[in-house]
């Protein structure tokens, strides 16, 4: 685990309660808005589409001040320019991908801290899906935004990194406090769960989670946020040390990252 992850520095206003709202965009993207009633600041994590984000802001009566970008893919940055033009928000994202993130005002890297409403947002590098990918972690609010690195019951495809790099990113995330709530970039949970059951069919927590996910989706509800503790019990990509997964893959006595890599490859063809 990296030195800065999980280290909760006392904020000016500990336990500050922000109002979090999930915004569905495009076909299966999620953006998240959060608002500090005291300072009046409002942040958005990822900007997949202008319309739904703008509508959610108007409904809540919030003015956007911060846009936090997890990675440079088009389905996460598409609305940057329009949101900046309308609200004058500051666009923050990985410095490594400055050229690919429209309107970027502040480039960030691992270990950087962003001040928001008297609280602090930690920037964690999580390379693998893209090399510049970052997660945003708020230890006082017990929330982490993982973009396309960690999904509920799954993880992002490895586009720019390799399996070992991606595994180190996921391993760092799985060491965050278990009661941390994870928000991710896509609603892929059911498909991920169906895959997970093929590699760990006897995992009772996983069976229960997939049932819950089917029910939530039938009700038209999102399957996130979900706690890191719950993901550690159910997400195969956080469980390369599981005896059942290693049996199914017939991979014993090898490093976790190799089992993780084999799982990711299987999922690519699922
Ligand atoms: Zn992506
Ligand atoms: Fe994406």
């Amino acid at each position: 685990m990296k030195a800065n992850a999980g280290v909760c520095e006392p904020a000016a206003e500990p336990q500050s309660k922000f109002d979090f709202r999930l915004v569905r965009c495009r076909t299966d993207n999620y953006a998240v808005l959060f608002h500090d009633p005291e300072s009046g600041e409002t942040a958005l994590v990822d900007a997949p589409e202008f319309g739904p984000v703008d509508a959610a802001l108007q409904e809540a009566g919030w003015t956007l001040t911060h846009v936090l970008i997890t990675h440079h893919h088009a389905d996460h940055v598409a609305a940057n320019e329009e949101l900046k033009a309308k609200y004058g928000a500051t666009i923050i994202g990985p410095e490594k991908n400055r050229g690919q993130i429209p309107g970027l005002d502040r480039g960030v890297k691992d270990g950087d801290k962003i001040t928001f409403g008297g609280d602090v947002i930690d920037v964690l590098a999580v390379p693998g899906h893209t090399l510049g990918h970052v997660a945003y972690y708020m230890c006082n609010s017990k929330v982490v935004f993982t973009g396309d690195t960690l999904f509920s019951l799954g993880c992002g495809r490895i586009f720019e990194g390799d399996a070992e790099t991606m595994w180190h990113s996921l391993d760092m995330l799985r060491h965050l406090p278990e009661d941390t709530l994870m928000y991710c970039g896509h609603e892929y949970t059911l498909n991920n769960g169906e895959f997970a059951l093929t590699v760990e069919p006897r995992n009772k927590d996983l069976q229960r989670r997939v049932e819950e996910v089917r029910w939530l989706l039938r009700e038209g509800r999102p399957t996130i946020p979900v706690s890191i503790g719950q993901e550690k019990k159910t997400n195969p990509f956080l469980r390369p040390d599981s005896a059942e997964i290693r049996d199914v893959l017939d991979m014993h006595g090898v490093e976790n990252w190799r089992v993780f890599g084999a799982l990711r490859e299987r999922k690519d063809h699922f």
Side-chain angles (χ1 to χ4, degrees), residues 95-165:
E95 176 62 33
K96 271 192 182 139
N97 297 104
R98 174 165 285 278
Q100 295 143 292
I101 299 172
L104 186 71
D105 295 300
R106 178 178 168 195
V108 289
K109 58 177 190 322
D110 189 56
D112 283 356
K113 290 175 188 301
I114 299 157
T115 306
F116 179 84
D119 204 350
V120 172
I121 303 169
D122 283 303
V123 179
L124 309 175
V126 285
H129 177 70
T130 67
L131 286 175
H133 202 305
V134 296
Y136 295 101
Y137 174 51
M138 300 164 80
C139 65
N140 292 302
S141 299
K142 297 184 184 266
V143 167
V144 65
F145 301 99
T146 59
D148 286 2
T149 299
L150 177 62
F151 295 129
S152 182
L153 302 182
C155 72
R157 281 179 191 257
I158 302 171
F159 284 124
E160 296 178 10
D162 53 28
E164 195 171 1
T165 304

Side-chain angles (χ1 to χ4, degrees), residues 29 71 73 75-76 129 148 151 185-186 188:
N29 278 83
H71 68 295
H73 286 159
D75 61 317
H76 298 255
H129 177 70
D148 286 2
F151 295 129
H186 291 269
Y188 289 160

Side-chain angles (χ1 to χ4, degrees), residues 21 54 70 74 79 97 99 107-108 116 125 133 187 192 227 240 243 258 270:
R21 301 217 183 155
D54 186 45
T70 61
N97 297 104
V108 289
F116 179 84
H133 202 305
E187 181 56 72
N192 289 338
S227 75
R258 292 187 194 276
F270 179 67

Side-chain angles (χ1 to χ4, degrees), residues 24-36:
R24 286 189 101 126
C25 298
R26 302 165 80 111
T27 49
D28 50 35
N29 278 83
Y30 282 126
V32 187
L33 282 168
F34 56 98
H35 176 73
D36 178 14

